[in-house]
Amino acid sequence: MSEAQRSQTTPRLESAGSPELTTSPQPASADAMAAVVAPQYGTSAVLRTEVVDRPNPRVDEVLVRVRAAAVCQGDVHLLTGKPYLLRLGFGLRRPKDPIIGHDLAGEVVAVGRDVTEFRPGDTVFGSVNSGAFAEYVCVSSRRLAATPAGLTIEEAAALPDSGMTALQGLRDTGGLGAGQSVLINGASGGVGSAAVQIAKALGAEVTAVCSTRHVEAVRALGADQVIDYTTEDFAATDRRYDVLFDLAGNRSLRDYRKVLAPKGVFVSSAAAPDADWIGPVVWMAKVMLANLFTSRRLAVLLMSPRREDLEFLAELAATGKFRPLIEKRYPVAQAAAAVQHVADGHAQGKTVLAI
Ligand SMILES: NC(=O)c1ccc[n+]([C@@H]2O[C@H](COP(=O)([O-])OP(=O)(O)OC[C@H]3O[C@@H](n4cnc5c(N)ncnc54)[C@H](OP(=O)(O)O)[C@@H]3O)[C@@H](O)[C@H]2O)c1
């Protein structure tokens, strides 16, 4: 959430009362809005809708009327406050930016003085650090792009976090190019389902790892081979890959290294799931240390949102090379159920909210 929102978006009415968000309060005036709020850290049961002040854009921000939002694992981290280390930034005792949500698509309502790229009425998509599960949100103009032709508003909302993570992981960190081979571990989730399509668009040969339920969906995204991890172990074959993009964090570094070609690159986007306290820090240290003792390259990805990447992804979408996979859609009144579905860790593709 921006500084502007932090100072100007404050809860001002009683909560709707239902943790399941079965009722949504109506904004009382034009400068109020409804938002999905986590007043404390916890499970999806702490989420509720509240009426809060509508934010005002700073000079470099755009006020967007949110039409759709997508749930990502980052929302789950914000909600649970785990790994605990994150609370140094999120708020020690409770979330200091209580409106959750990263990914959104909607219409521009107003722009800050320095914004020249967007005008009221434009349809845009992008990401914020928090605040997307609300009727309005202020977004830095550097984290927005025009919605691509051919995508629904829900598909556009499903694109930013997963699309940029997959793009930066494969193209920038992995250096994946035409004719190379890539193994995607966790290929059926939000990032994985984007990664399969982006890797194909980059000209790579894709081997995707997922569970039985998702095999057909992942094949339909364009994967050349699909490994069902419930019946086959990708680390137990002789196959070697130029890039391994890991989104599951469920194997040892030894296993990951084993399947890399001699000059291969391991891109880690997920820390071990038991990393409650300092989370990815231990994992990052392990990866950096292991790097010193191998000809392969081992890297930990930290996605950084930027407009150029949103535009690159929009172009892929406009040319039919990338379409976010959406398994489930929820009305905003069921935001808690949507977040829980993602928190459970086995969603297929993206989970979206209509706002
Ligand atoms: N580094 C960054 O900047 C960054 C940015 C975004 C996300 N992330 C991280 O990247 C990871 C993936 O994110 P996401 O949005 O794709 O999450 P997601 O939508 O929840 O997907 C997770 C996927 O992991 C799969 N999975 C679970 N256990 C598995 C196993 N044993 N073997 C293979 N796959 C397994 C699940 O598939 P099944 O249902 O088939 O088990 C599911 O599809 C998360 O850890 C997230 O926190 C990092």
Side-chain angles (χ1 to χ4, degrees):
M1 177 179 280
S2 68
E3 288 300 323
Q5 282 171 280
R6 202 168 286 142
S7 57
Q8 292 169 23
T9 302
T10 46
R12 58 186 206 177
L13 292 187
E14 290 294 301
S15 99
S18 165
E20 265 81 45
L21 310 183
T22 47
T23 57
S24 301
Q26 293 302 310
S29 66
D31 63 347
M33 66 173 188
V36 178
V37 169
Q40 64 198 74
Y41 291 121
T43 67
S44 57
V46 308
L47 292 174
R48 56 202 63 237
T49 48
E50 285 186 356
V51 174
V52 300
D53 289 338
R54 207 165 109 166
N56 290 314
R58 293 180 140 201
V59 289
D60 60 344
E61 288 182 334
V62 174
L63 178 67
V64 179
R65 167 75 173 94
V66 182
R67 295 293 176 195
V71 187
C72 66
Q73 288 294 344
D75 300 321
V76 178
H77 292 307
L78 190 77
L79 174 64
T80 58
K82 291 181 186 175
Y84 294 114
L85 184 71
L86 292 177
R87 296 190 187 194
L88 291 177
F90 289 176
L92 286 181
R93 297 172 69 87
R94 63 183 66 84
K96 58 185 181 197
D97 299 327
I99 305 174
I100 68 165
H102 286 70
D103 284 348
L104 64 114
E107 288 132 30
V108 173
V109 175
V111 299
R113 194 187 57 219
D114 294 349
V115 177
T116 53
E117 306 87 354
F118 305 104
R119 287 185 309 186
D122 289 350
T123 314
V124 292
F125 73 111
S127 80
V128 285
N129 289 341
S130 63
F133 296 177
E135 287 180 288
Y136 297 88
V137 65
C138 286
V139 189
S140 161
S141 63
R142 293 182 301 280
R143 295 173 65 155
L144 275 182
T147 311
L151 290 195
T152 65
I153 199 83
E154 291 175 347
E155 288 169 333
L159 198 151
D161 179 80
S162 296
M164 287 191 286
T165 304
L167 181 65
Q168 291 175 22
L170 293 170
R171 182 195 63 183
D172 304 344
T173 309
L176 186 69
Q180 291 194 310
S181 58
V182 60
L183 178 79
I184 300 170
N185 185 38
S188 58
V191 181
S193 59
V196 170
Q197 300 178 71
I198 291 167
K200 287 307 297 175
L202 293 172
E205 192 213 336
V206 176
T207 302
V209 181
C210 63
S211 63
T212 314
R213 180 170 93 84
H214 307 301
V215 167
E216 283 319 310
V218 169
R219 209 187 299 283
L221 294 174
D224 298 288
Q225 289 91 32
V226 181
I227 296 175
D228 178 347
Y229 72 73
T230 66
T231 57
E232 199 182 344
D233 179 1
F234 72 78
T237 71
D238 292 336
R239 183 77 207 268
R240 300 289 176 265
Y241 301 89
D242 297 309
V243 177
L244 194 175
F245 190 31
D246 180 52
L247 304 158
N250 62 325
R251 306 297 292 253
S252 66
L253 259 181
R254 194 166 173 272
D255 284 346
Y256 293 131
R257 246 184 337 198
K258 208 163 94 182
V259 297
L260 283 180
K263 295 277 175 205
V265 186
F266 167 61
V267 183
S268 169
S269 176
D274 58 352
D276 262 9
W277 281 92
I278 52 175
V281 175
V282 173
W283 176 243
M284 284 163 87
K286 273 190 193 170
V287 172
M288 281 165 66
L289 193 65
N291 234 334
L292 303 174
F293 302 98
T294 176
S295 64
R296 291 136 177 105
R297 194 155 65 79
L298 316 174
V300 175
L301 175 70
L302 274 182
M303 192 273 281
S304 161
R306 43 182 181 245
R307 188 189 317 134
E308 307 86 271
D309 286 351
L310 291 173
E311 288 173 346
F312 184 93
L313 294 164
E315 181 61 25
L316 287 187
T319 52
K321 293 180 178 149
F322 175 35
R323 178 174 288 268
L325 173 67
I326 297 176
E327 180 191 26
K328 291 200 179 219
R329 296 167 165 82
Y330 293 83
V332 70
Q334 291 172 19
V339 171
Q340 190 55 50
H341 180 59
V342 172
D344 289 343
H346 297 283
Q348 183 180 102
K350 297 296 295 183
T351 302
V352 298
L353 289 177
I355 306 270

